[in-house]
Coordinates of all heavy atoms in Angstrom, one line a residue:
M1 N 9.2 -9.1 -7.1 CA 9.2 -10.3 -6.3 C 8.0 -11.1 -6.7 O 6.9 -10.7 -7.1 CB 8.8 -9.8 -4.8 CG 8.7 -10.8 -3.9 SD 8.4 -10.3 -2.1 CE 9.8 -9.3 -1.8
D2 N 8.2 -12.4 -6.7 CA 7.2 -13.3 -7.3 C 6.1 -13.6 -6.2 O 6.4 -13.5 -5.0 CB 7.9 -14.6 -7.8 CG 8.5 -15.5 -6.7 OD1 7.8 -16.0 -6.0 OD2 9.8 -15.5 -6.7
Q3 N 5.0 -14.1 -6.6 CA 3.9 -14.3 -5.7 C 4.1 -15.4 -4.7 O 3.7 -15.3 -3.6 CB 2.6 -14.6 -6.5 CG 2.1 -13.3 -7.2 CD 0.7 -13.5 -7.8 OE1 0.2 -14.6 -7.9 NE2 0.1 -12.4 -8.3
L4 N 4.8 -16.5 -5.1 CA 5.2 -17.5 -4.2 C 6.0 -16.9 -2.9 O 5.7 -17.3 -1.8 CB 5.9 -18.7 -4.8 CG 6.3 -19.8 -4.0 CD1 5.1 -20.5 -3.3 CD2 7.1 -20.8 -4.8
H5 N 6.9 -16.1 -3.3 CA 7.8 -15.5 -2.2 C 6.9 -14.6 -1.3 O 7.1 -14.6 -0.1 CB 8.9 -14.8 -2.9 CG 10.0 -14.3 -1.9 ND1 10.9 -15.3 -1.4 CD2 10.3 -13.2 -1.3 CE1 11.7 -14.6 -0.5 NE2 11.3 -13.4 -0.5
L6 N 6.0 -13.8 -1.9 CA 5.1 -13.0 -1.1 C 4.2 -13.8 -0.2 O 4.1 -13.5 1.0 CB 4.1 -12.2 -2.0 CG 4.6 -11.0 -2.6 CD1 3.7 -10.3 -3.6 CD2 5.0 -9.9 -1.5
V7 N 3.7 -15.0 -0.6 CA 2.9 -15.8 0.2 C 3.8 -16.3 1.3 O 3.3 -16.4 2.5 CB 2.3 -17.0 -0.6 CG1 1.7 -18.0 0.3 CG2 1.3 -16.5 -1.6
E8 N 4.9 -16.8 1.1 CA 5.8 -17.2 2.2 C 6.1 -16.2 3.2 O 6.0 -16.5 4.5 CB 7.1 -17.7 1.6 CG 7.2 -19.0 0.8 CD 8.5 -19.3 0.1 OE1 9.5 -18.6 0.3 OE2 8.5 -20.2 -0.8
I9 N 6.3 -15.0 2.8 CA 6.6 -13.9 3.7 C 5.4 -13.4 4.6 O 5.4 -13.2 5.7 CB 7.2 -12.7 3.0 CG1 8.5 -13.0 2.4 CG2 7.3 -11.4 3.9 CD1 9.1 -11.9 1.4
L10 N 4.2 -13.4 3.8 CA 3.0 -12.8 4.4 C 2.1 -13.8 5.1 O 1.0 -13.3 5.7 CB 2.4 -11.9 3.4 CG 3.2 -10.8 2.9 CD1 2.4 -10.1 1.8 CD2 3.6 -9.8 4.0
A11 N 2.2 -15.1 4.8 CA 1.3 -16.1 5.2 C 0.8 -16.0 6.8 O -0.2 -16.3 7.2 CB 1.7 -17.4 4.9
S12 N 1.7 -15.6 7.6 CA 1.5 -15.7 9.0 C 0.8 -14.4 9.6 O 0.4 -14.3 10.7 CB 2.7 -15.9 9.9 OG 3.7 -14.8 9.6
Y13 N 0.6 -13.4 8.7 CA 0.0 -12.1 9.2 C -1.5 -12.2 9.1 O -2.0 -12.7 8.0 CB 0.6 -10.9 8.4 CG 2.0 -10.7 8.6 CD1 3.1 -11.3 7.9 CD2 2.4 -9.8 9.7 CE1 4.4 -11.1 8.2 CE2 3.7 -9.6 10.0 CZ 4.7 -10.2 9.2 OH 6.1 -10.0 9.5
R14 N -2.1 -11.6 10.0 CA -3.6 -11.5 10.0 C -4.1 -10.2 9.4 O -5.3 -10.2 9.0 CB -4.2 -11.7 11.4 CG -3.9 -13.0 12.1 CD -4.5 -13.1 13.4 NE -4.2 -11.8 14.1 CZ -4.6 -11.6 15.4 NH1 -5.2 -12.5 16.1 NH2 -4.2 -10.5 16.0
R15 N -3.3 -9.2 9.4 CA -3.7 -8.0 8.8 C -2.5 -7.4 8.0 O -1.4 -7.4 8.5 CB -4.0 -7.0 10.0 CG -4.5 -5.7 9.4 CD -5.1 -4.8 10.5 NE -5.8 -3.6 9.9 CZ -6.0 -2.4 10.5 NH1 -5.5 -2.3 11.7 NH2 -6.6 -1.5 9.8
L16 N -2.9 -6.9 6.8 CA -1.8 -6.4 6.0 C -2.3 -5.0 5.6 O -3.4 -4.7 5.2 CB -1.7 -7.1 4.6 CG -1.4 -8.6 4.7 CD1 -1.5 -9.3 3.4 CD2 0.0 -8.8 5.3
I17 N -1.4 -4.0 5.7 CA -1.6 -2.6 5.4 C -0.5 -2.2 4.4 O 0.7 -2.3 4.7 CB -1.5 -1.8 6.6 CG1 -2.6 -2.1 7.7 CG2 -1.7 -0.2 6.2 CD1 -2.5 -1.4 9.0
L18 N -0.9 -1.7 3.2 CA 0.0 -1.2 2.2 C -0.2 0.3 2.1 O -1.3 0.7 1.9 CB -0.3 -1.9 0.9 CG 0.6 -1.3 -0.2 CD1 2.0 -1.7 -0.1 CD2 0.0 -1.9 -1.6
V19 N 0.9 1.0 2.3 CA 1.0 2.5 2.0 C 1.9 2.7 0.9 O 3.0 2.3 0.9 CB 1.5 3.2 3.3 CG1 1.5 4.7 3.0 CG2 0.5 3.0 4.4
D20 N 1.3 3.1 -0.3 CA 2.1 3.1 -1.6 C 1.9 4.4 -2.2 O 0.7 4.8 -2.6 CB 1.6 2.0 -2.4 CG 2.5 1.8 -3.6 OD1 3.5 2.6 -3.9 OD2 2.4 0.8 -4.3
E21 N 3.0 5.2 -2.3 CA 2.9 6.5 -3.0 C 3.1 6.3 -4.5 O 3.0 7.4 -5.2 CB 3.9 7.5 -2.4 CG 5.3 7.1 -2.7 CD 6.3 8.1 -2.2 OE1 6.6 8.0 -1.0 OE2 6.8 8.9 -2.9
N22 N 3.3 5.2 -5.0 CA 3.5 5.0 -6.4 C 2.8 3.7 -6.9 O 3.5 2.8 -7.2 CB 5.0 4.9 -6.8 CG 5.2 4.9 -8.2 OD1 4.4 5.2 -9.1 ND2 6.5 4.5 -8.6
P23 N 1.5 3.6 -6.9 CA 0.9 2.4 -7.2 C 0.7 2.1 -8.7 O 0.1 1.1 -9.0 CB -0.6 2.6 -6.6 CG -0.8 4.1 -6.7 CD 0.6 4.7 -6.4
A24 N 1.4 2.9 -9.5 CA 1.4 2.6 -11.0 C 2.2 1.3 -11.2 O 2.6 0.6 -10.3 CB 1.8 3.7 -11.7
G25 N 2.5 1.0 -12.5 CA 3.2 -0.2 -13.0 C 4.0 -1.0 -12.0 O 4.6 -0.5 -11.1
G26 N 3.8 -2.3 -11.9 CA 4.4 -3.2 -11.1 C 3.9 -3.1 -9.6 O 4.6 -3.3 -8.7
S27 N 2.6 -2.9 -9.6 CA 2.0 -2.5 -8.3 C 1.9 -3.7 -7.3 O 1.4 -4.8 -7.7 CB 0.6 -2.1 -8.6 OG -0.1 -1.9 -7.4
L28 N 2.5 -3.6 -6.2 CA 2.4 -4.6 -5.1 C 0.9 -4.7 -4.7 O 0.4 -5.8 -4.4 CB 3.2 -4.2 -3.9 CG 3.2 -5.1 -2.7 CD1 3.6 -6.5 -3.0 CD2 4.0 -4.5 -1.6
H29 N 0.2 -3.6 -4.7 CA -1.3 -3.7 -4.4 C -2.0 -4.7 -5.3 O -2.8 -5.4 -4.8 CB -1.9 -2.2 -4.5 CG -3.4 -2.2 -4.4 ND1 -4.0 -2.5 -3.3 CD2 -4.3 -1.9 -5.3 CE1 -5.4 -2.3 -3.5 NE2 -5.5 -1.9 -4.8
R30 N -1.7 -4.6 -6.6 CA -2.3 -5.5 -7.5 C -2.0 -7.0 -7.2 O -2.9 -7.8 -7.2 CB -1.9 -5.1 -9.0 CG -2.8 -5.7 -10.0 CD -2.5 -5.1 -11.4 NE -1.1 -5.0 -11.7 CZ -0.4 -3.9 -12.0 NH1 -1.1 -2.8 -12.1 NH2 0.8 -3.9 -12.3
D31 N -0.7 -7.2 -6.9 CA -0.3 -8.6 -6.6 C -1.0 -9.1 -5.3 O -1.4 -10.2 -5.2 CB 1.2 -8.6 -6.4 CG 1.9 -8.4 -7.7 OD1 1.4 -8.6 -8.8 OD2 3.1 -8.1 -7.6
L32 N -1.1 -8.2 -4.3 CA -1.8 -8.6 -3.0 C -3.2 -8.9 -3.3 O -3.8 -9.9 -2.7 CB -1.5 -7.5 -1.9 CG -0.1 -7.4 -1.4 CD1 0.0 -6.2 -0.5 CD2 0.3 -8.7 -0.7
L33 N -3.8 -8.1 -4.0 CA -5.3 -8.4 -4.3 C -5.5 -9.7 -5.0 O -6.4 -10.4 -4.6 CB -5.9 -7.3 -5.2 CG -6.2 -5.9 -4.5 CD1 -6.7 -4.9 -5.5 CD2 -7.2 -6.1 -3.4
A34 N -4.6 -10.0 -5.9 CA -4.7 -11.3 -6.6 C -4.5 -12.4 -5.7 O -5.2 -13.4 -5.7 CB -3.7 -11.4 -7.8
L35 N -3.5 -12.3 -4.8 CA -3.3 -13.5 -3.8 C -4.5 -13.6 -2.8 O -4.9 -14.7 -2.5 CB -2.0 -13.2 -3.1 CG -0.7 -13.3 -3.9 CD1 0.5 -12.8 -3.1 CD2 -0.5 -14.8 -4.3
L36 N -5.0 -12.5 -2.4 CA -6.2 -12.5 -1.5 C -7.4 -13.1 -2.2 O -8.1 -13.9 -1.6 CB -6.5 -11.1 -0.9 CG -5.4 -10.6 0.0 CD1 -5.4 -9.1 0.1 CD2 -5.6 -11.2 1.4
Q37 N -7.7 -12.7 -3.4 CA -8.8 -13.2 -4.1 C -8.7 -14.6 -4.5 O -9.7 -15.3 -4.5 CB -9.1 -12.3 -5.4 CG -9.5 -10.9 -5.0 CD -9.6 -10.0 -6.2 OE1 -9.0 -10.3 -7.3 NE2 -10.1 -8.8 -6.1
S38 N -7.5 -15.2 -4.7 CA -7.2 -16.5 -5.0 C -7.3 -17.4 -3.7 O -7.4 -18.6 -3.9 CB -5.9 -16.7 -5.7 OG -4.9 -16.6 -4.8
G39 N -7.2 -16.8 -2.6 CA -7.3 -17.5 -1.3 C -5.9 -18.0 -0.9 O -5.7 -18.7 0.1
K40 N -4.8 -17.6 -1.6 CA -3.5 -18.0 -1.3 C -3.0 -17.3 0.0 O -2.1 -17.7 0.7 CB -2.5 -17.9 -2.4 CG -2.8 -18.7 -3.6 CD -1.8 -18.4 -4.8 CE -2.2 -19.3 -5.9 NZ -1.4 -19.0 -7.1
L41 N -3.5 -16.1 0.2 CA -3.3 -15.3 1.4 C -4.7 -15.1 2.1 O -5.6 -14.8 1.4 CB -2.8 -13.9 1.1 CG -1.3 -13.8 0.9 CD1 -0.9 -12.4 0.6 CD2 -0.4 -14.3 2.1
K42 N -4.7 -15.2 3.3 CA -5.9 -15.0 4.1 C -5.6 -14.0 5.2 O -5.0 -14.3 6.2 CB -6.5 -16.3 4.8 CG -6.9 -17.3 3.7 CD -7.3 -18.6 4.4 CE -7.8 -19.7 3.5 NZ -7.5 -19.7 2.1
A43 N -5.9 -12.7 4.9 CA -5.7 -11.7 5.9 C -6.7 -10.5 5.6 O -7.2 -10.5 4.5 CB -4.3 -11.1 5.7
E44 N -6.8 -9.7 6.6 CA -7.6 -8.4 6.4 C -6.6 -7.6 5.8 O -5.4 -7.4 6.1 CB -7.9 -7.9 7.8 CG -8.7 -6.6 7.7 CD -8.9 -6.0 9.1 OE1 -8.9 -6.7 10.1 OE2 -9.2 -4.8 9.2
Y45 N -7.0 -6.8 4.7 CA -6.1 -6.1 3.8 C -6.7 -4.6 3.7 O -7.9 -4.4 3.5 CB -6.0 -6.7 2.5 CG -5.2 -5.9 1.5 CD1 -3.8 -5.7 1.8 CD2 -5.7 -5.4 0.4 CE1 -3.1 -4.9 0.9 CE2 -4.9 -4.6 -0.5 CZ -3.6 -4.4 -0.2 OH -2.8 -3.7 -1.1
Q46 N -5.8 -3.7 3.9 CA -6.2 -2.3 3.7 C -5.0 -1.6 2.9 O -3.8 -1.8 3.2 CB -6.4 -1.5 5.0 CG -6.8 -0.1 4.9 CD -7.1 0.5 6.2 OE1 -7.1 -0.1 7.3 NE2 -7.5 1.7 6.2
A47 N -5.3 -0.9 1.9 CA -4.4 -0.2 1.1 C -4.7 1.3 1.1 O -5.8 1.8 1.0 CB -4.4 -0.7 -0.3
V48 N -3.6 2.1 1.3 CA -3.7 3.6 1.2 C -2.8 3.9 0.0 O -1.6 3.8 0.1 CB -3.3 4.3 2.5 CG1 -3.4 5.8 2.3 CG2 -4.1 3.8 3.7
L49 N -3.5 4.3 -1.1 CA -2.8 4.7 -2.3 C -2.9 6.1 -2.7 O -3.9 6.8 -2.3 CB -3.3 3.8 -3.5 CG -3.4 2.3 -3.2 CD1 -4.1 1.6 -4.4 CD2 -2.0 1.7 -3.0
I50 N -1.9 6.6 -3.2 CA -1.9 8.1 -3.6 C -3.0 8.3 -4.7 O -3.2 7.5 -5.5 CB -0.5 8.6 -4.1 CG1 -0.4 10.1 -3.8 CG2 -0.2 8.2 -5.4 CD1 1.0 10.5 -3.6
D51 N -3.7 9.3 -4.6 CA -4.9 9.5 -5.4 C -4.7 10.5 -6.6 O -5.5 10.7 -7.4 CB -6.1 9.9 -4.6 CG -5.9 11.2 -3.9 OD1 -4.8 11.7 -3.8 OD2 -6.9 11.7 -3.3
K52 N -3.5 11.2 -6.6 CA -3.3 12.1 -7.6 C -1.8 12.2 -7.9 O -1.0 12.0 -7.0 CB -3.8 13.4 -7.3 CG -3.3 14.1 -6.1 CD -4.0 15.5 -5.8 CE -3.4 16.1 -4.6 NZ -3.9 17.4 -4.3
P53 N -1.4 12.6 -9.1 CA 0.0 12.7 -9.5 C 0.6 13.9 -8.7 O -0.2 14.9 -8.4 CB 0.1 12.9 -10.9 CG -1.3 13.4 -11.3 CD -2.2 12.8 -10.3
F54 N 1.9 13.9 -8.5 CA 2.5 15.1 -7.8 C 2.6 16.3 -8.7 O 2.6 16.1 -9.9 CB 4.0 14.7 -7.4 CG 4.0 13.7 -6.3 CD1 5.0 12.8 -6.2 CD2 3.1 13.8 -5.2 CE1 5.1 11.9 -5.1 CE2 3.2 12.9 -4.1 CZ 4.2 12.0 -4.1
S55 N 2.6 17.4 -8.1 CA 2.8 18.7 -8.8 C 4.3 18.9 -8.8 O 5.0 18.5 -7.8 CB 2.1 19.8 -8.0 OG 2.5 21.0 -8.5
E56 N 4.8 19.6 -9.7 CA 6.2 19.8 -9.8 C 6.6 21.1 -9.0 O 7.7 21.5 -8.9 CB 6.6 20.0 -11.3 CG 6.5 18.9 -12.2 CD 7.4 17.7 -11.9 OE1 8.6 18.0 -11.5 OE2 7.1 16.6 -12.0
H57 N 5.6 21.7 -8.4 CA 5.8 23.1 -7.9 C 5.8 23.1 -6.3 O 5.4 24.2 -5.7 CB 4.7 24.0 -8.4 CG 4.7 24.0 -9.9 ND1 5.7 24.6 -10.6 CD2 3.8 23.5 -10.7 CE1 5.4 24.4 -11.9 NE2 4.2 23.7 -12.0
A58 N 6.1 22.1 -5.6 CA 6.2 22.1 -4.2 C 7.2 21.1 -3.7 O 7.5 20.1 -4.4 CB 4.8 21.8 -3.6
P59 N 7.7 21.2 -2.6 CA 8.6 20.2 -2.0 C 7.8 18.8 -1.8 O 6.6 18.9 -1.6 CB 9.0 20.8 -0.6 CG 8.8 22.3 -0.8 CD 7.7 22.4 -1.7
R60 N 8.6 17.8 -1.8 CA 8.0 16.5 -1.8 C 7.1 16.3 -0.5 O 6.1 15.7 -0.6 CB 9.1 15.4 -1.7 CG 8.6 14.0 -1.7 CD 9.8 13.0 -2.0 NE 9.2 11.7 -2.2 CZ 9.0 10.8 -1.2 NH1 9.2 11.1 0.0 NH2 8.5 9.7 -1.4
T61 N 7.6 16.8 0.6 CA 6.8 16.6 1.8 C 5.4 17.3 1.7 O 4.4 16.8 2.2 CB 7.5 17.1 3.1 OG1 7.9 18.5 2.9 CG2 8.7 16.3 3.4
E62 N 5.4 18.5 1.1 CA 4.2 19.2 0.9 C 3.2 18.4 -0.2 O 2.0 18.4 0.0 CB 4.4 20.6 0.4 CG 4.9 21.5 1.4 CD 5.2 22.9 0.8 OE1 4.6 23.3 -0.2 OE2 6.1 23.6 1.4
Q63 N 3.9 17.9 -1.2 CA 3.1 17.1 -2.1 C 2.4 15.9 -1.5 O 1.3 15.5 -1.8 CB 4.0 16.7 -3.3 CG 4.5 17.8 -4.1 CD 5.4 17.4 -5.2 OE1 5.4 16.3 -5.7 NE2 6.4 18.3 -5.5
L64 N 3.3 15.1 -0.7 CA 2.7 14.0 0.0 C 1.6 14.4 1.0 O 0.6 13.7 1.0 CB 3.8 13.3 0.8 CG 4.8 12.5 0.0 CD1 6.1 12.1 0.8 CD2 4.2 11.3 -0.7
A65 N 1.8 15.4 1.7 CA 0.7 15.9 2.7 C -0.5 16.3 1.9 O -1.7 15.9 2.4 CB 1.2 17.1 3.5
A66 N -0.4 16.9 0.8 CA -1.6 17.3 0.0 C -2.3 16.1 -0.6 O -3.5 16.2 -0.9 CB -1.2 18.3 -1.2
S67 N -1.6 15.0 -0.7 CA -2.1 13.7 -1.3 C -2.6 12.8 -0.1 O -3.1 11.7 -0.4 CB -1.2 13.0 -2.1 OG -0.8 13.8 -3.2
G68 N -2.6 13.3 1.1 CA -3.1 12.5 2.3 C -2.1 11.6 2.8 O -2.4 10.6 3.4
F69 N -0.8 11.8 2.6 CA 0.2 10.9 3.0 C 1.1 11.5 4.2 O 2.1 11.1 4.4 CB 1.2 10.6 1.8 CG 0.7 9.4 1.1 CD1 -0.5 9.3 0.6 CD2 1.6 8.3 0.9 CE1 -0.9 8.2 -0.1 CE2 1.2 7.2 0.2 CZ 0.0 7.1 -0.3
S70 N 0.5 12.5 4.9 CA 1.1 12.9 6.2 C 0.9 11.9 7.2 O 0.0 11.0 7.1 CB 0.5 14.3 6.6 OG -0.8 14.1 7.0
L71 N 1.7 11.9 8.3 CA 1.5 10.9 9.4 C 0.1 11.0 9.9 O -0.5 10.0 10.1 CB 2.5 11.2 10.4 CG 2.5 10.3 11.7 CD1 2.7 8.8 11.2 CD2 3.5 10.7 12.7
E72 N -0.4 12.1 10.1 CA -1.7 12.3 10.7 C -2.8 11.8 9.8 O -3.7 11.1 10.2 CB -2.0 13.8 11.0 CG -1.1 14.4 12.0 CD 0.3 14.8 11.5 OE1 0.5 14.9 10.3 OE2 1.2 15.1 12.3
S73 N -2.7 12.1 8.6 CA -3.7 11.6 7.6 C -3.6 10.0 7.5 O -4.7 9.4 7.5 CB -3.4 12.1 6.2 OG -3.7 13.5 6.2
L74 N -2.5 9.5 7.5 CA -2.4 8.0 7.4 C -2.9 7.4 8.6 O -3.6 6.4 8.6 CB -0.9 7.6 7.1 CG -0.4 7.9 5.7 CD1 1.2 7.7 5.8 CD2 -1.1 7.1 4.7
L75 N -2.6 7.9 9.8 CA -3.1 7.3 11.0 C -4.6 7.3 11.1 O -5.2 6.4 11.5 CB -2.5 8.0 12.3 CG -1.0 7.7 12.5 CD1 -0.5 8.6 13.6 CD2 -0.7 6.2 12.7
A76 N -5.2 8.5 10.6 CA -6.7 8.6 10.6 C -7.2 7.6 9.6 O -8.4 7.1 10.0 CB -7.0 10.0 10.2
K77 N -6.6 7.3 8.6 CA -7.2 6.3 7.5 C -7.1 4.9 8.1 O -7.9 4.1 7.8 CB -6.5 6.5 6.3 CG -6.9 7.7 5.5 CD -6.0 7.8 4.2 CE -6.2 9.2 3.6 NZ -5.5 9.4 2.4
L78 N -6.0 4.6 8.8 CA -5.7 3.2 9.3 C -6.3 2.8 10.5 O -6.5 1.6 10.8 CB -4.2 3.0 9.2 CG -3.5 3.2 7.9 CD1 -2.0 3.2 8.1 CD2 -3.9 2.2 6.9
F79 N -6.5 3.7 11.5 CA -6.9 3.4 12.8 C -8.2 4.1 13.2 O -8.7 5.0 12.9 CB -5.8 3.5 13.8 CG -4.7 2.8 13.5 CD1 -3.6 3.3 12.9 CD2 -4.6 1.4 13.7 CE1 -2.4 2.6 12.6 CE2 -3.5 0.6 13.4 CZ -2.4 1.3 12.8

């Protein structure tokens, strides 16, 4: 998605929260930071990004929970 389209979609929001389990290549987080720093978007911004790669030895839900992506962990970080 191009930055102009992002600005059109998000311009009316006062708070933006990004929860991203895959912040590598093509990162929306990076695009949002650039728009906020340039002043094209004016909003309070919070990102919760996964902090470690997944292990191949557990179900996906367990891997997400271990990375702080359970519902309880996300709510604690956001509110």
